[in-house]
Amino acid sequence: FSRANPQQLYLPVTIDPEYHYEAINVENQQKNLSSLLWWTRRVIAMRKNFKAFSRGSLEFLNPDNPKVLAFLRRWENETIVVIVNLSRFSQSAELDLSRFAGCVPMEVFSRNLFRPIRKTHYVITLGPHAYYWFALQAPIDARRALKKHVVPTIKAPAQLEVLLGNSQREQIEREVLPNHIQNSRWFGSKARTFRNLEVKEQLAFSPDAEGARLWFVEVNYLDAPTETYAIPVKIASGETAHAIAQNAPHAIVAHFGRRNGAILCDAIWDSAFRSQLFDAIVRRRTLRAQAGQFVGLTTSGLESQDFDVSANSHVLSAEQSNSSMLFDNKFFLKLYRKLEDGVNPDVEITRFLTEQTDFPNVPAFVGALEYRRAKAEPTVVCLLQRAVPNEGNVWTLTVDALGRYYERVLERKADFQNETAPPGVLINELVGGVYPEKVKLLGQRTGELHLALASRSNDPAFAPESFNAMAQRSVYQSMRTSLRRAFTSLEKKLSDVPAKFRSEAREVLAAEKEILAREKRLLDRRNNAAKIRIHGDYHLGQLLYTGKDFVILDFEGEPARPLSDRKMKRSALRDVAGMMRSFQYAAYAALWQQAMRKEDVPFLERWADLWYRQTSSMFLQSYLSTTTGAMFIPKNSDDLQVMLEAYLLDKAVYEIGYELNNRPSWVLIPVRGIKHILQMT
């Protein structure tokens, strides 16, 4: 800590070789993120993130193992569990955390979630002198249920056949279903002004009176077109109802005013209903409803032994706009909540890639469930695919890689303090590891996807089309409208943006004419690049990593857009721009994690931008190498630059509007993205 003359120090210098000042000193420990210095810094930073550590109450838990110390720190809504192994040997202990049943322990440094707490004792295992700091989190759906609504009560017998009768239908359509829909994650029109709803169709999956039913609910708005949603319902009672109330409270649609605890619930939480959905598809059943019929479809080559797995299934808990189920880890079934007439692009593209191309990097299409009625296009209700064993999505993989990158930068912080423009070789060294090779593989797979989508000129739905002057003008008009809408919103909501970012937001607002001029250059180019079917909502969260390769998911497009719009052919560079923007989001998401010390963030921001530029460049070069000579890539490099820049700007402009409505503190990401794009040329 000091360069003073050792003879002038109050105490003598340690002469033990292991702890001598030439071995143990700040300069050396600064370069090693595993050192005591960095550990202390991280602990202090984490302590500042939770007021419970400094102001909370202290309560010892008295585990069964005396060599394990465990206690609670609580302050307002914060509950921290600290568990420490006081022994030099591994230890196991049981803790009585039953009062927190349903909560999920989150390890505060890694933000990894551990097993949920149950009514039984919680078993924990620790290595020698190991410790855990857990923040207890209520389940997401439970928090939402407690925060947003009270479940209504139906004053009628617990029988499905009477709920839509004349005497009960009014309460179902005016109170029960509006309450449930508006508090469901999959309902995407919460900002619209609700008018009324009506159950237009219902299907009984079995002749059993207690069997589940699938309702089609038509929702009307004062300020938007009508939408139709699929809601499967079932009546549960006894232990089944209790289990749903404990594990999925958001699935409860209503209570019945009886003493047996019966509930009306979302039927996806009923294993029998999930099996019926699966069987309807794989056995190609035709089920008659009131106004139409449901028809199961399958691809060729489905073996009969595959039919026997449907009883072993569970609901996937990931938050999304549809409902997903996994069958025996072999099949993945998606129930579309928002329904529109016509083939869903998710089904259409997945089936095309499976049956008509050799592109293997998508979950194989198995089948679908369609709703058919006279004088209307079929409506896709469910999609069934092969399940893909994987290590998680590529967003998580990327954020983890970024965490290691930031650690390497911090280890050399003292060397970089005076650096202004580190050379490319240094950036390559810091990015390090195998992640750059994965980025190149991702670029290659993206190119191969577009080549596959453009490979069948004899199929009108997938045949490439000319990106002519009319198409260029249409794209430009759409970009101009989006820019004006987003910047008007930014001007109105500038006060919502954190004060330290407002000057940068004003810089971008002042550049509106320049952005428009860059986008307008599309009209000056007459390139021969074709329009093709694309993914439409391409980002890191739409891919899984298998350990060796990538699998691309969710070809549904942006759910907020009309079905006809999502099926349009567009420039492949739109997908490329979406992925490049996703890299910048990942860079800042990793930087703003709670485990990151706040004092390190300003220093690392510049390195986040450098990582984003380097990684985006690697991805783009790999993509262009894969698609050399493809009809959907402009032949002229200047045309390519103009088109890619326009799509990058358009995507960043869209992100500004999205973040202002959802996460104003994140608006810095697209703002800096626009500044970077404008500085590229």
Side-chain angles (χ1 to χ4, degrees):
F1 290 92
S2 173
R3 296 184 182 276
N5 186 332
Q7 304 300 324
Q8 296 178 333
L9 297 178
Y10 178 73
L11 292 174
V13 173
T14 301
I15 61 173
D16 187 315
E18 186 174 356
Y19 298 103
H20 194 270
Y21 73 89
E22 291 184 353
I24 305 296
N25 58 66
V26 173
E27 187 174 350
N28 286 343
Q29 295 216 352
Q30 176 74 39
K31 297 177 181 179
N32 178 12
L33 286 187
S34 300
S35 66
L36 178 62
L37 174 64
W38 273 106
W39 179 87
T40 306
R41 285 176 171 176
R42 283 192 288 267
V43 168
I44 292 172
M46 190 56 64
R47 190 174 185 271
K48 292 178 180 178
N49 287 333
F50 294 94
K51 291 184 178 179
F53 282 121
S54 57
R55 305 181 187 180
S57 61
L58 175 64
E59 177 186 346
F60 288 95
L61 291 176
N62 302 316
D64 63 330
N65 186 341
K67 296 180 180 179
V68 174
L69 173 68
F71 57 89
L72 294 174
R73 299 300 303 268
R74 306 181 73 176
W75 173 261
E76 296 181 348
N77 294 326
E78 292 180 2
T79 301
I80 306 292
V81 181
V82 178
I83 309 171
V84 183
N85 179 7
L86 304 177
S87 167
R88 60 193 176 97
F89 299 108
S90 297
Q91 299 291 334
S92 178
E94 292 185 0
L95 303 175
D96 182 6
L97 298 174
S98 56
R99 70 187 115 159
F100 303 110
C103 291
V104 180
M106 180 192 73
E107 202 278 319
V108 297
F109 292 99
S110 65
R111 302 190 67 79
N112 288 330
L113 300 179
F114 279 55
R115 295 292 179 186
I117 297 170
R118 305 297 183 195
K119 290 290 186 182
T120 55
H121 281 193
Y122 196 80
V123 179
I124 195 79
T125 303
L126 302 101
H129 297 298
Y131 64 93
Y132 287 120
W133 291 5
F134 289 125
L136 298 188
Q137 294 187 327
I140 292 173
D141 293 315
R143 292 201 300 270
R144 184 182 298 118
L146 289 171
K147 187 189 304 182
K148 291 193 174 181
H149 75 291
V150 176
V151 177
T153 299
I154 299 174
K155 296 179 180 178
Q159 299 171 0
L160 277 174
E161 62 266 22
V162 305
L163 293 184
L164 296 181
N166 293 333
S167 60
Q168 202 57 45
R169 191 180 189 103
E170 183 175 353
Q171 185 188 9
I172 294 295
E173 294 182 341
R174 290 194 177 186
E175 178 188 355
V176 175
L177 287 179
N179 180 76
H180 175 66
I181 288 176
Q182 291 175 343
N183 289 283
S184 295
R185 167 66 178 86
W186 42 259
F187 182 60
S189 299
K190 295 180 176 67
R192 293 175 176 172
T193 306
F194 177 82
R195 183 177 183 179
N196 58 37
L197 63 75
E198 182 180 357
V199 179
K200 285 290 190 179
E201 177 67 288
Q202 63 171 321
L203 168 68
F205 271 84
S206 71
D208 184 0
E210 297 182 356
R213 299 195 179 188
L214 180 60
W215 289 351
F216 282 6
V217 179
E218 186 178 274
V219 183
N220 299 300
Y221 308 97
L222 294 175
D223 54 356
T226 298
E227 295 178 333
T228 301
Y229 287 87
I231 305 180
V233 294
K234 181 180 173 63
I235 293 174
S237 58
E239 288 298 321
T240 303
H242 179 72
I244 292 174
Q246 287 290 317
N247 300 320
H250 60 286
I252 300 176
V253 179
H255 294 286
F256 286 93
R258 305 284 179 177
R259 293 184 178 180
N260 65 350
I263 60 172
L264 179 68
C265 66
D266 191 318
I268 66 167
W269 294 91
D270 174 55
S271 60
F273 171 72
R274 296 195 296 269
S275 296
Q276 289 164 351
L277 272 183
F278 183 92
D279 289 341
I281 295 173
V282 298
R283 299 186 187 279
R284 303 178 186 177
R285 298 190 187 280
T286 298
L287 306 170
R288 298 198 177 277
Q290 291 182 335
Q293 59 184 14
F294 290 78
V295 179
L297 309 170
T298 63
T299 188
S300 58
L302 189 65
E303 299 178 3
S304 59
Q305 59 262 34
D306 289 335
F307 298 172
D308 301 328
V309 304
S310 62
N312 185 8
S313 65
H314 66 273
V315 179
L316 299 179
S317 59
E319 293 207 352
Q320 50 195 355
S321 55
N322 302 301
S323 296
S324 302
M325 294 149 262
L326 194 62
F327 293 82
D328 201 31
N329 291 322
K330 292 182 179 179
F331 295 97
F332 173 85
L333 189 147
K334 182 188 295 185
L335 171 67
Y336 295 105
R337 291 295 189 161
K338 183 182 176 183
L339 304 177
E340 296 180 73
D341 290 345
V343 179
N344 190 301
D346 197 12
V347 174
E348 185 182 26
I349 293 177
T350 303
R351 186 170 193 174
F352 171 81
L353 292 172
T354 301
E355 297 181 347
Q356 298 192 46
T357 76
D358 297 324
F359 184 69
N361 295 81
V362 292
F365 173 82
V366 175
L369 184 67
E370 288 185 349
Y371 173 67
R372 299 176 181 176
R373 66 190 191 282
K375 299 180 181 180
E377 290 186 84
T379 300
V380 176
V381 181
C382 295
L383 167 65
L384 184 64
Q385 298 171 286
R386 295 279 181 184
V388 179
N390 64 86
E391 297 181 358
N393 66 47
V394 182
W395 171 267
T396 303
L397 174 79
T398 301
V399 171
D400 288 345
L402 274 157
R404 293 188 291 273
Y405 163 73
Y406 290 143
E407 286 181 354
R408 287 190 286 269
V409 173
L410 288 173
E411 284 177 344
R412 302 174 64 174
K413 183 177 180 179
D415 300 333
F416 296 153
Q417 290 285 10
N418 299 320
E419 288 280 354
T420 56
V425 175
L426 181 57
I427 292 295
N428 290 333
E429 178 187 338
L430 291 169
V431 172
V434 297
Y435 188 76
E437 296 304 316
K438 292 175 182 175
V439 171
K440 293 175 184 176
L441 179 60
L442 177 56
Q444 178 185 336
R445 294 292 180 253
T446 304
E448 291 169 352
L449 168 67
H450 288 157
L451 289 170
L453 289 171
S455 64
R456 294 292 181 270
S457 57
N458 58 344
D459 186 338
F462 289 89
E465 297 177 0
S466 173
F467 194 40
N468 55 29
M470 184 179 295
Q472 288 173 311
R473 178 158 292 279
S474 175
V475 169
Y476 167 68
Q477 294 289 4
S478 174
M479 289 179 174
R480 185 173 68 173
T481 302
S482 176
L483 177 64
R484 186 82 291 273
R485 185 189 306 118
F487 274 39
T488 299
S489 179
L490 182 57
E491 288 170 349
K492 290 180 179 178
K493 298 183 179 181
L494 195 59
S495 59
D496 294 343
V497 177
K500 58 184 177 181
F501 302 147
R502 285 177 200 161
S503 61
E504 293 188 64
R506 291 191 184 97
E507 284 181 47
V508 168
L509 281 172
E512 180 177 359
K513 290 184 178 179
E514 184 180 356
I515 295 170
L516 192 61
R518 297 285 185 98
E519 293 178 342
K520 193 174 183 179
R521 290 192 299 173
L522 280 174
L523 303 180
D524 302 330
R525 301 283 170 169
R526 294 293 180 264
N527 65 73
N528 297 318
K531 297 187 300 180
I532 63 170
R533 293 295 292 273
I534 62 172
H535 186 284
D537 188 22
Y538 201 50
H539 54 78
L540 292 167
Q542 302 285 40
L543 295 102
L544 298 176
Y545 184 61
T546 65
K548 295 182 179 179
D549 210 337
F550 297 106
V551 175
I552 303 171
L553 309 173
D554 293 338
F555 291 86
E556 193 177 359
E558 296 176 7
R561 295 180 181 270
L563 189 67
S564 58
D565 186 62
R566 288 182 271 147
K567 296 174 71 172
M568 290 177 61
K569 294 168 185 174
R570 304 178 186 276
S571 169
L573 294 179
R574 180 170 174 161
D575 276 352
V576 175
M579 184 57 68
M580 292 172 70
R581 295 292 311 130
S582 188
F583 284 126
Q584 190 188 25
Y585 264 79
Y588 277 85
L591 186 62
W592 292 342
Q593 288 185 107
Q594 201 169 27
M596 185 68 70
R597 295 197 319 146
K598 289 183 173 61
E599 49 266 47
D600 289 329
V601 171
F603 169 75
L604 289 173
E605 281 180 349
R606 174 167 158 268
W607 294 91
D609 290 335
L610 289 169
W611 180 92
Y612 154 60
R613 298 178 192 187
Q614 179 82 353
T615 306
S616 296
S617 177
M618 284 191 292
F619 169 79
L620 179 61
Q621 293 306 315
S622 176
Y623 174 83
L624 293 176
S625 175
T626 304
T627 56
T628 300
M631 65 180 70
F632 50 81
I633 298 296
K635 303 293 187 292
N636 184 289
S637 60
D638 290 339
D639 292 344
L640 173 65
Q641 178 70 21
V642 167
M643 287 187 69
L644 181 59
E645 189 178 285
Y647 281 112
L648 284 168
L649 284 169
D650 184 54
K651 182 67 174 177
V653 165
Y654 164 81
E655 291 163 358
I656 285 178
Y658 177 86
E659 299 302 352
L660 285 172
N661 291 328
N662 295 277
R663 301 175 295 193
S665 62
W666 283 50
V667 80
L668 174 70
I669 300 176
V671 162
R672 287 193 175 168
I674 290 174
K675 289 173 63 178
H676 166 61
I677 296 163
L678 295 178
Q679 293 166 3
M680 283 169 55
T681 55

